[in-house]
């Protein structure tokens, strides 16, 4: 039973345009959400996070939106750059439930074309 | 500030053998978590160590065990290796158990 789902295995966008990566979750106990970026042969790199008490968090070109009623979050990258090409993982945790483990989706491979 | 480091980078073992993977946490971090990433999947939580004590465990059998040392570095031990144990093993450290986790580059294990 996959609690965090990234239904798009891949996404291709043009440089300068917006990239939107989506993530759905099923466990209502999740209260903290993160996005990681992973290049080949490297570990995941933390990008941005959001707590369930917020619906939006921005950091430079990256914005994460959280819709708790729909159990959906998205990562917007504006403008997209070729260096953003990587696999993006959505992760969730239930911190207030006492569990700090991260539950990951399967990832979305983003390709930004010059 | 030194990031999370892992050793070795690659490892080949045969079925039934035992393996030990090592992780040095980021400076100042007292919590280490271990994840297994199979090909085409997201990382799966194995367990977490906080101040040398196990602080949560995922759905992995007891042949997966760990340690955390007083300097907060950590080891992951896997006994009786199976072919399905072939994966990328990731270590992540955090300032506290509930804080953002920062990952190392991983150890790629191949079991033949």
């Amino acid at each position: 039973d996959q609690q965090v789902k990234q239904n798009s295995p891949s996404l291709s966008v043009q440089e300068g345009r917006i990239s939107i990566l989506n993530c759905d979750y099923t466990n209502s106990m999740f209260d903290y959400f993160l996005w990681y970026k992973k290049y080949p042969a490297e570990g995941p790199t933390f990008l941005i996070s959001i707590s369930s008490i917020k619906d939006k968090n921005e950091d430079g070109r990256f914005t994460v939106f959280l819709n708790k009623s729909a159990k959906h979050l998205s990562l917007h990258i504006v403008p997209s750059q070729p260096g953003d090409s990587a696999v993006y993982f959505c992760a969730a945790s239930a911190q207030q439930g006492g569990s700090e483990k991260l539950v990951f989706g399967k990832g979305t491979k983003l390709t930004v074309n010059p | 500030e030194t990031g999370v480091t892992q050793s070795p980078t690659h490892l080949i073992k045969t079925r039934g053998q035992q393996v030990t993977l090592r992780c040095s946490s980021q400076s100042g971090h007292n919590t280490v978590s271990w994840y297994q990433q199979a090909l085409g999947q997201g990382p799966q939580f194995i367990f977490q160590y906080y101040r040398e004590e196990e602080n949560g465990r995922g759905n992995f059998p007891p042949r997966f065990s760990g340690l955390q040392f007083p300097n907060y570095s950590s080891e992951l031990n896997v006994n009786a290796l199976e072919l399905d144990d072939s994966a990328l093993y990731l270590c992540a450290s955090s300032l506290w158990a509930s804080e953002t986790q920062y990952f190392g580059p991983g150890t790629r294990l191949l079991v033949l």
Side-chain angles (χ1 to χ4, degrees):
Chain A
D1 177 31
Q2 210 179 341
Q3 298 184 67
V4 177
K5 298 179 184 179
Q6 294 178 257
N7 291 320
S8 298
S10 62
L11 175 68
S12 184
V13 300
Q14 285 299 119
E15 181 178 4
R17 306 294 290 267
I18 184 171
S19 295
I20 300 176
L21 297 103
N22 294 302
C23 178
D24 297 294
Y25 62 96
T26 57
N27 189 341
S28 56
M29 295 295 291
F30 288 148
D31 54 12
Y32 191 64
F33 305 90
L34 309 90
W35 285 94
Y36 286 85
K37 176 172 75 173
K38 188 179 185 299
Y39 294 117
E42 294 184 12
T45 301
F46 169 71
L47 270 179
I48 191 169
S49 62
I50 187 167
S51 163
S52 60
I53 62 173
K54 294 185 173 182
D55 54 19
K56 178 182 173 182
N57 190 25
E58 281 183 86
D59 184 1
R61 295 186 298 115
F62 302 92
T63 303
V64 56
F65 295 92
L66 175 62
N67 183 333
K68 289 187 292 293
S69 59
K71 293 191 176 67
H72 177 83
L73 64 155
S74 60
L75 174 68
H76 293 210
I77 306 174
V78 183
S80 301
Q81 299 173 353
D84 296 330
S85 297
V87 177
Y88 288 77
F89 290 98
C90 169
S93 71
Q95 295 187 337
Q96 291 195 11
S99 167
E100 288 77 28
K101 74 174 187 179
L102 294 178
V103 180
F104 283 84
K106 290 187 176 183
T108 296
K109 183 176 182 180
L110 173 66
T111 302
V112 180
N113 301 302
Chain B
E1 185 180 86
T2 308
V4 180
T5 60
Q6 292 186 243
S7 63
T9 55
H10 295 83
L11 203 51
I12 300 175
K13 291 285 188 179
T14 55
R15 197 170 47 181
Q17 285 189 310
Q18 178 266 341
V19 69
T20 297
L21 310 181
R22 293 177 175 83
C23 171
S24 290
S25 57
Q26 188 168 314
S27 177
H29 287 187
N30 59 21
T31 303
V32 171
S33 304
W34 286 91
Y35 293 81
Q36 180 197 67
Q37 186 180 13
L39 206 58
Q41 304 293 315
Q44 274 203 296
F45 177 75
I46 303 174
F47 41 56
Q48 182 182 81
Y49 279 85
Y50 170 63
R51 290 184 166 182
E52 304 178 59
E53 297 285 333
E54 189 178 287
N55 184 47
R57 188 180 180 91
N59 191 25
F60 281 82
R63 59 189 185 84
F64 286 78
S65 63
L67 277 175
Q68 189 178 30
F69 300 100
N71 67 354
Y72 302 130
S73 66
S74 177
E75 286 182 354
L76 164 65
N77 299 290
V78 187
N79 293 322
L81 283 167
E82 300 177 0
L83 299 180
D84 284 349
D85 296 333
S86 295
L88 178 68
Y89 288 85
L90 294 162
C91 165
S93 75
S94 53
L95 186 59
W96 298 101
S98 60
E99 294 290 322
T100 299
Q101 297 180 21
Y102 296 88
F103 284 83
T107 294
R108 187 160 295 283
L109 172 65
L110 178 61
V111 181
L112 301 175

